[in-house]
Amino acid sequence: MDIFRGMSATVLLVLCACPDDGSAERLADVLVTHGLAACVNIGPPLISVYRWQGSMERSPERLLTIKTTAAAYPALEHALREQHPYDLPEIIAVPVTRGLPGYLEWVRECTKDA
């Protein structure tokens, strides 16, 4: 089910954790180069604590904060799934309900051909 159907101009923040600097930078480059994201922030190192396949895990990661639109999201998700080193990457999209109008329009313009 596509919850963003009918909201194609909606700006989204997409969160995606990566295992290291190299994969975070490669993914960010791909997304911006192909117009799937207007901007990708690569956060500082963090530690993720989670349960995976029945065991508690603790891993260093980098968090990508990706600015895109609902219209570009399907292609962005596909690119992340294809190129991410994890079998099951974190890909979480959150609609932006408010923001500086000029910035939101810039995001839409950068991703309009995705």
Side-chain angles (χ1 to χ4, degrees):
M1 178 173 86
D2 183 3
I3 64 168
F4 300 121
R5 188 175 327 142
M7 300 170 38
S8 63
T10 298
V11 173
L12 304 176
L13 286 180
V14 179
L15 305 175
C16 182
C18 297
D20 53 47
D21 292 343
S23 62
E25 290 179 21
R26 279 189 300 279
L27 286 168
D29 287 347
V30 164
L31 298 177
V32 173
T33 298
H34 290 29
L36 303 176
C39 175
V40 179
N41 301 116
I42 301 172
L46 55 89
I47 301 294
S48 293
V49 179
Y50 56 96
R51 186 171 298 280
W52 180 248
Q53 298 179 340
S55 297
M56 285 293 290
E57 301 287 338
R58 183 178 300 263
S59 301
E61 293 185 306
R62 291 294 199 132
L63 183 63
L64 302 181
T65 305
I66 304 161
K67 277 69 85 176
T68 191
T69 59
Y73 179 81
L76 181 140
E77 180 185 291
H78 179 76
L80 286 173
R81 291 179 68 177
E82 287 290 312
Q83 299 189 36
H84 201 287
Y86 290 163
D87 292 334
L88 182 62
E90 169 188 13
I91 303 173
I92 298 173
V94 180
V96 174
T97 58
R98 297 182 75 160
L100 185 66
Y103 183 85
L104 300 179
E105 186 54 38
W106 173 76
V107 172
R108 290 182 192 101
E109 183 65 27
C110 288
T111 58
K112 70 178 181 183
D113 295 327

